[in-house]
């Protein structure tokens, strides 16, 4: 973390939890965020957005959608528009989560379309980028990340458009094999430098989250990295005690410091 940016601790619930779970998890997040120095957000399944909006409204926990469509409305069965998320009380929307890319065929152009739609609706996109294991092992991590970042940045209309970026190596998501803080530092540095090429001021304020097997034990090591501005958390966000601990997390003390 850096003194200029408040870390954001975000929980992506994916397709998990009952309505009662959603309420309980949101209540726990609100309680934890009350006295934390980090910002917090939750990304519930669509059917529970309204329920969770009622719980987090007026608190320090922001609401987000897990995805949106690039069109405003139309014959897109099972999709939701950015405007619908906005009307439900969302502040954020994930754009191009790796599961959307891999399982639902969202390519860079589609993801960019969702990011543009999010901005036009008044939402803050959380652009998710990350390399697969094969891409890393063949030395393509940087080029993949910059390609994905460029596709999203192309939708930005001006300095006032809000943006958060999440670096989530695909091989680290849900595997229990998190990237090392050094690997995150390298990737986040590439991403921030790319943002700086188009908007140096934005590069100084854009939050870049790390995601992929973050848990209460390793989050402090990530927050210690100056270019890591929080975390996007899947599995460990489904345990209210763990998510609360991560909302309250602070940078780990460097060994020997
Ligand atoms: P994980 O998921 O924390 O379970 O690895 C992260 C994500 O998909 O955002």
């Amino acid at each position: 973390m850096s003194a200029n940016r408040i870390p954001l601790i975000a929980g992506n619930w994916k397709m998990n939890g009952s309505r009662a779970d959603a309420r309980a998890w949101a209540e726990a997040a609100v309680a934890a965020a009350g006295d934390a120095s980090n910002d917090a957000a939750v990304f519930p399944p669509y059917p529970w957005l309204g329920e969770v909006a009622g719980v987090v409204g007026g608190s320090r926990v922001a609401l987000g959608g897990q995805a949106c469509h690039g069109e405003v409305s139309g014959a897109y069965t099972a999709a939701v528009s950015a405007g619908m998320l906005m009307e439900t009380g969302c502040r954020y929307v994930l754009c191009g989560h790796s599961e959307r890319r891999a399982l639902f065929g969202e390519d860079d152009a589609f993801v960019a379309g969702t990011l543009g739609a999010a901005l036009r609706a008044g939402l803050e996109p959380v652009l998710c980028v990350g390399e697969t294991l094969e891409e890393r092992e063949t030395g393509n991590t940087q080029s993949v990340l910059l390609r994905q970042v460029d596709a999203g940045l192309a939708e930005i209309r001006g300095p006032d458009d809000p943006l958060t970026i999440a670096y989530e190596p695909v091989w680290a998501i849900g595997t229990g094999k998190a990237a090392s803080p050094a690997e995150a530092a390298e990737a986040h540095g590439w991403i921030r430098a790319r943002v700086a090429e188009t908007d140096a001021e934005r590069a100084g304020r854009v939050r870049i989250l790390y995601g992929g097997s973050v848990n209460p034990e390793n989050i402090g090591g990530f927050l210690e990295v100056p270019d890591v501005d929080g975390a996007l958390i899947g599995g460990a966000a489904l345990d209210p005690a763990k998510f609360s601990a991560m909302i309250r997390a602070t940078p780990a003390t460097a060994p020997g410091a």
Side-chain angles (χ1 to χ4, degrees):
M1 64 180 281
S2 134
N4 306 328
R5 299 178 294 268
I6 298 172
L8 174 63
I9 308 301
N12 172 14
W13 298 350
K14 308 189 181 183
M15 195 175 74
N16 291 293
S18 65
R19 180 189 295 273
D21 290 332
R23 171 165 278 278
W25 298 346
E27 285 170 351
V30 168
D35 57 0
S37 53
N38 300 320
D39 288 339
V42 292
F43 293 76
Y46 299 136
W48 313 146
L49 281 171
E51 181 89 15
V52 174
V55 176
V56 303
S59 83
R60 286 194 54 211
V61 179
L63 187 66
Q66 296 177 10
C68 70
H69 198 275
E71 297 295 332
V72 170
S73 63
Y76 303 102
T77 300
V80 305
S81 73
M84 293 169 187
L85 294 177
M86 188 73 190
E87 209 176 325
T88 314
C90 289
R91 169 174 170 184
Y92 296 105
V93 63
L94 303 182
C95 296
H97 186 278
S98 77
E99 285 148 21
R100 299 300 308 177
R101 294 180 190 263
L103 306 175
F104 297 91
E106 294 190 6
D107 59 14
D108 282 334
F110 186 92
V111 172
T114 72
L115 194 150
L119 290 173
R120 287 188 294 276
L123 293 169
E124 175 163 346
V126 180
L127 173 63
C128 302
V129 301
E131 81 288 359
T132 63
L133 188 58
E134 190 192 345
E135 287 162 344
R136 173 164 283 268
E137 287 178 341
T138 51
N140 291 310
T141 300
Q142 187 179 20
S143 65
V144 168
L145 297 182
L146 298 186
R147 190 198 76 221
Q148 294 175 338
V149 167
D150 286 348
L153 289 179
E155 298 294 317
I156 300 283
R157 301 158 303 178
D160 293 337
D161 274 348
L163 178 69
T164 292
I165 298 174
Y167 167 57
E168 298 203 298
V170 177
W171 47 271
I173 295 179
T175 60
K177 249 183 77 72
S180 68
E183 287 167 329
E186 181 178 49
H188 285 227
W190 290 331
I191 293 167
R192 197 175 302 281
R194 191 60 147 209
V195 174
E197 286 175 24
T198 52
D199 186 338
E201 196 277 324
R202 179 185 296 281
R205 75 180 137 89
V206 66
R207 288 197 284 206
I208 306 177
L209 316 182
Y210 168 76
S213 296
V214 176
N215 59 44
E217 287 72 45
N218 64 20
I219 191 167
F222 289 110
L223 293 179
E224 203 176 79
V225 178
D227 272 326
V228 173
D229 309 308
L232 181 54
I233 303 150
L238 304 179
D239 178 328
K242 289 183 181 174
F243 191 55
S244 297
M246 292 185 284
I247 290 174
R248 296 200 194 94
T250 53
T253 309

